[in-house]
């Protein structure tokens, strides 16, 4: 069993600071408080690793006899699919011994792959790793006199943790390379309060916060002496060996020391100042002041691949032996990807917000709240002008294109790129600012009868948001710099041939990020109207209407997507899917790059043939609207949302019972639920994405109670041992959030089209939307909630009918649409029993018994959810077996065909925790 240890200890001390007979003799001036806490943990890395097929010990030395026929045999891939074939001779290697291309390189890569520890070729481990945490808090309170007081608080925490994998990289299959994460943080707050007069109060607050994240690798990450400078950028490689990925055949694993910088990674010093003045004049309580922020973020941006480079070995490569591990030994590389350089960025911005609020007591029964906040937001900017942005207005048509043979860019590979603060006419934040952002607030409270039994309240306000660094600002541009580009080369035979000359003085189309040239700040409108009534007998009821509207919300989508085929030009009839014959008909002109294809006897060059070529797996770069450019991630404030809710609550308190109940019936609608919501399948029809929000829950019921049990109340032994119990609990009933059903595609599928196997791609419309969660939806053929089949015992239940979905019509996005299904409801009961056992007046034991999911009610996990909290509750966003159709069969290419049984579609793959009991005994003295 892996080690599991947790220790938590510390102390607190506080009181007046005084010197008898000299200072603070009455102990009313200066006070201090100091606390220290330490946590020492060693915890198993559960969930990080699974049983993985790794090379056998003989294979690590090049001997593949265990997967090959007798030496000298003819090639037999049907019976020996994992036996390496020499791509030069076309036969097996002599003696089934694969020569090792470069021992220094190979031995360094082998160090990242663990030897088998469970049978001849299986590996699994759950290492236990340490976490050391410390926090100190110090506070001083000073009463200068009865009108002026000051407070200073300092918090420092140190978090030192070993992770079992290299963080934020493209390969995390093994604990051979680990990461030490050190993240100390500091927070300081100073506050001065001055009571100038009985009706005038001034409060000034200054604060400073920061953290300093440092990471370092543990394990065989360093390039040893004699390691050749393999790579397409001779950039020093961060001193790290390249990452590796093996896929195809019996292997599917990766390990990459990539991004971790072995030193300072991130810090975000932030200074804030606030001065608030409160003044009472007759029936007016006035507040006015200003809030100021000066924020910085200094970090090395996280790339998809690091400066060390990433080697991919697959069975689909032109130079493959058919065995990815044999390819690694030889140096037969499918794809090598490398970042040019890693630069540290220094982002900064300022915020100034003056505000005014008047709480006006118009009459004893009516109070008005009138306020205005002016949000003067400064744009993000990179201090050293290292930010670059793709501006479509600066793109010059014809200045760049793609060579259909080499795949390299012809002309200006940076067409449309501008350097923020350097390119003439481009501000340092790459966008001109919008300073005027007034945010009024108004509210009222009314007692209609004047007896305190009724209260009617309402309000409306606007609240601007400065956005975070992942939205439309220069922080989103950090990874995409003219000096930090990521390039790839393919089909390299031999490590010695992996060098900068492979770029041939050119590059494949680069990926960019695009933000608007003018800042538009998101804001929320919020409103409410509620009625509260005292029903008597310590019971209060409240009914409210609550609403909000989000304006100029951030959303991200593919800006360089191909246009889809108009319905009038689509060669496919409704319900007809793409077949293997259709894909086989595609040919690419080597000069123009245009595709020619035949569907239903209709032969076309260009137009829909290009879309079909892309849908069938051909490179889309020659057909993208911004020619010569790869994927463009557009981030702008074009999203919106709307939320409306009926909220009702009841509170009752009498004797030893406190009871509260609340019910919410609501609906949230938006066209982007998060800044990185990636469900957009068609960037040219973003309005089609408007639907129930990813986090929308129509019904929420919460019941809470605390009850002092009325047994053995009288003092005595019976009360000491049997009385004094308190019963409490929380009941939570929630409807499920919505999720989308995606088309994952299949090739071949279990259906035929005109005698040819169906070949349904995920990118069924053939538009190369590289940012979408999936390229398309299935088509709807019935009611998903009707006729749900009952599965044999031992299988998770079907929550919807898969037969209601069929493969989408060829060259369409499918018509199922966003968030049309709902995750299962959740009903949960938590309860606790508590008892105090007095020893003396100041000393007692506290016994607590807690039960979570006390009735052990089975609660199935969510099937899906895109971006935000919905994705977190669904164990991550994206395509899974439960929310994506990857199998179609039968005459109508149905996802519910009998041949697709066992695919997991629309079935939960786990359940929430069963009943958990927890006992605790505490001594308080």
């Amino acid at each position: 069993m892996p080690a599991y240890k947790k220790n938590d200890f510390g102390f607190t001390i506080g009181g007046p600071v005084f010197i008898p007979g000299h200072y603070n003799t009455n102990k009313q001036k200066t006070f201090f408080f100091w606390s220290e806490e330490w946590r020492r943990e060693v915890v198993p890395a559960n969930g990080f690793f699974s049983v993985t097929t790794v090379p056998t010990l003989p294979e690590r030395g090049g001997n593949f006899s265990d997967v090959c026929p007798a030496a000298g045999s003819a090639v037999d891939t049907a019976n020996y699919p994992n036996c390496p074939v020499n791509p030069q001779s076309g036969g097996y290697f002599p003696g089934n011994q694969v020569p090792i291309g470069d021992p220094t390189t190979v031995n360094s890569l082998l160090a990242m792959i663990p030897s088998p520890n469970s049978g001849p070729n299986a590996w699994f481990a759950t290492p236990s790793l340490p976490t050391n945490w410390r926090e100190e808090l110090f506070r001083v309170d000073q009463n200068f006199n009865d009108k002026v007081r000051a407070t200073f608080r300092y918090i420092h925490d140190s978090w030192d943790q070993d992770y079992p994998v290299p963080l934020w990289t493209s390969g995390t299959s093994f604990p051979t390379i680990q990461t030490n994460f050190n993240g100390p943080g500091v927070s300081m707050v100073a506050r001065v309060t001055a009571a100038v007069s009985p009706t005038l109060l001034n409060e000034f607050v200054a604060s400073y916060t920061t953290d300093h994240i440092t990471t370092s690798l543990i394990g065989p990450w360093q390039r040893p002496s004699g390691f050749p400078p393999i790579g397409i950028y001779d950039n020093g490689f961060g001193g790290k060996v390249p990452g590796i990925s093996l896929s195809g055949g019996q292997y599917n694993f990766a390990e990459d020391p990539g991004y971790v910088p072995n030193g300072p990674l991130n810090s975000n010093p932030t200074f804030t100042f606030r001065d608030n003045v409160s003044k009472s004049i007759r029936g007016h309580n006035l507040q006015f002041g200003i809030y100021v922020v000066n924020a910085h973020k200094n970090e090395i941006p996280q790339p998809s691949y690091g400066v060390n480079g990433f080697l991919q070995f697959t069975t689909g490569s032109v130079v493959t032996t058919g065995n990815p591990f044999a390819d690694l030994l030889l140096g037969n590389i499918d794809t090598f990807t490398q970042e040019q350089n890693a630069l540290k960025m220094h982002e900064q911005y300022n915020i100034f917000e003056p505000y005014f609020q008047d709480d006006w007591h118009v009459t004893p029964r009516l109070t008005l709240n009138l306020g205005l906040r002016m949000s003067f937001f400064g744009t993000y900017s990179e201090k050293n002008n290292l930010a670059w942005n793709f501006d479509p207005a600066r793109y010059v048509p014809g200045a760049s294109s793609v060579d259909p043979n080499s795949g390299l860019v012809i002309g200006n590979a940076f067409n449309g790129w501008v350097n923020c603060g350097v390119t003439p006419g481009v501000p340092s934040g790459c966008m001109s600012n919008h300073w005027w952002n007034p945010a009024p607030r108004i509210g009222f409270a009314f007692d209609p009868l004047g007896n305190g039994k009724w209260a009617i309240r309402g309000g409306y306000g606007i609240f601007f948001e400065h956005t975070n660094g992942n939205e439309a600002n220069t922080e989103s541009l950090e990874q995409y710099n003219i000096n930090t580009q990521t390039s790839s080369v393919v089909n390299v035979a031999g490590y010695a041939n992996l060098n900068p000359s492979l770029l041939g003085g050119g590059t494949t189309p680069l990926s960019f990020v695009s933000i608007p040239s003018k800042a538009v700040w998101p804001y929320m409108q919020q409103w409410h109207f509620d009625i509260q009534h005292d029903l008597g007998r310590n019971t209060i009821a409240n009914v409210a209407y609550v609403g909000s509207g989000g304006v100029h919300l951030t959303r991200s989508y593919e800006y360089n997507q191909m246009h889809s085929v108009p319905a009038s030009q689509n060669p496919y009839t409704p319900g007809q899917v793409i077949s293997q014959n259709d894909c086989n008909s595609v040919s690419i002109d080597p000069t123009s790059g245009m595709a020619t294809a035949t569907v239903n006897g209709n032969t076309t060059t260009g137009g829909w043939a290009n879309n079909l070529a892309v849908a069938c797996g051909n490179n889309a770069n020659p057909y993208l609207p911004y020619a010569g450019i790869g994927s463009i991630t557009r981030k702008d404030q074009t999203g919106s949302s709307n939320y409306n809710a009926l909220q009702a609550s009841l509170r009752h308190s009498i004797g030893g019972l406190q009871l509260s109940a609340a019910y919410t019936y609501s609906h949230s609608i938006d066209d982007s639920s998060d800044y990185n919501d990636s469900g957009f399948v068609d960037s040219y029809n973003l309005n089609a994405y408007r639907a129930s929000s990813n986090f929308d829950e129509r019904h929420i019921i919460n019941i809470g109670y605390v009850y002092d049990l009325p047994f053995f109340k009288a003092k005595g032994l019976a009360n000491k041992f049997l009385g004094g119990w308190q019963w409490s609990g929380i009941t939570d009933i929630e409807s499920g959030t919505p999720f989308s059903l995606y088309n994952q595609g299949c090739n071949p599928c279990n259906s035929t089209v005109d005698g040819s196997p169906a070949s349904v791609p995920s990118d069924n419309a053939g538009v190369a939307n590289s940012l979408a969660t999936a390229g398309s939806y299935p088509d709807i053929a019935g009611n998903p909630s009707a006729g749900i089949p009952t599965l044999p015992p031992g299988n998770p239940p079907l929550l919807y009918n898969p037969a209601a979905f069929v493969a989408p019509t060829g060259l369409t996005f499918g018509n199922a649409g966003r968030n049309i299904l709902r995750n299962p409801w959740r009903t949960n009961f938590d309860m606790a029993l508590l008892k105090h056992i007095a020893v003396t007046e100041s000393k007692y034991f506290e016994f607590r018994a807690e039960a979570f999911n006390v009735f052990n009610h089975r609660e199935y996990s969510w099937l899906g959810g895109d971006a935000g909290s919905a994705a977190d509750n669904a164990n991550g966003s994206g395509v899974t077996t439960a929310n994506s159709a990857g199998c179609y069969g039968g005459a109508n290419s149905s996802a519910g065909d009998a041949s697709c049984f066992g695919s997991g579609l629309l079935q939960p793959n786990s359940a929430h925790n069963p009943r958990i009991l927890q006992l605790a005994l505490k001594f308080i003295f």
Side-chain angles (χ1 to χ4, degrees), residues 23 286 399 421 448 477 503 837:
Y23 178 75
L286 305 178
L477 306 175
L503 290 179
I837 305 172

Side-chain angles (χ1 to χ4, degrees), residues 162-226:
D162 286 352
Y163 284 86
V165 295
L167 288 176
W168 310 303
T169 72
S170 300
T172 58
S173 296
F174 306 120
T176 48
I177 296 180
Q178 302 173 355
T179 307
N180 175 260
F181 179 98
N182 186 274
V186 173
S187 171
M188 293 185 286
V189 179
R191 183 188 310 266
V192 178
T193 304
V196 181
S197 73
T199 62
L200 181 61
L201 179 70
N202 186 80
E203 180 186 51
F204 176 77
V205 180
S207 68
Y208 168 77
T209 61
T210 191
D211 60 23
H212 295 279
I213 297 175
T214 301
T215 57
S216 56
L217 292 168
I218 304 169
W221 62 271
Q222 291 178 297
R223 293 194 175 209
S225 175

Side-chain angles (χ1 to χ4, degrees), residues 262-292:
N262 289 296
L265 170 66
N266 177 291
S267 65
N268 56 350
T270 303
F271 304 85
T272 63
F273 306 92
R274 178 173 62 87
D275 190 77
N276 185 78
V277 178
S278 300
K279 175 65 175 178
S280 296
I281 304 175
R282 297 186 180 90
H284 298 268
N285 291 329
L286 305 178
Q287 287 192 61
F288 52 91
I290 189 169
Y291 174 72
V292 178

Side-chain angles (χ1 to χ4, degrees), residues 444 456-459 527-531 542-547 645 647:
F444 71 91
I456 301 174
R457 301 180 180 90
W527 55 87
H528 76 97
F529 179 82
D530 65 80
I531 300 175
N542 192 84
V543 178
Y545 162 63
V546 176
Q647 299 177 348

Side-chain angles (χ1 to χ4, degrees), residues 363 365-367 444-450 454-458 532:
T363 71
R365 293 191 296 155
L366 176 63
T367 299
F444 71 91
F446 181 52
D447 181 354
L449 301 181
W454 290 86
I456 301 174
R457 301 180 180 90
Q532 189 178 76

Side-chain angles (χ1 to χ4, degrees), residues 486-505:
T486 298
S487 299
S488 299
V489 292
V490 299
N491 300 323
V492 181
Y495 293 114
N497 296 318
L498 183 57
N499 55 65
S501 67
L502 292 176
L503 290 179

Side-chain angles (χ1 to χ4, degrees), residues 470 554-557 635 668 670-680 689 692-696 737-740 742 771-774 818-819 823 862-880 883:
N470 297 306
T554 301
R555 56 183 174 187
S556 305
Y557 54 94
K635 297 193 176 190
S668 179
D670 62 37
D671 49 24
S672 179
S673 292
D674 192 85
Y675 73 88
N676 66 344
D677 198 340
S678 56
F680 300 103
Y689 199 64
S692 296
S693 303
N694 298 342
F695 49 81
D696 177 55
T737 59
F739 69 95
S740 302
Y742 292 109
L771 298 183
T773 301
R818 177 194 180 212
N819 286 347
N823 286 297
W862 287 6
L863 276 69
D866 284 329
S869 59
D872 295 338
N873 290 326
N875 298 317
S877 61
V879 173
T880 66
N883 74 342

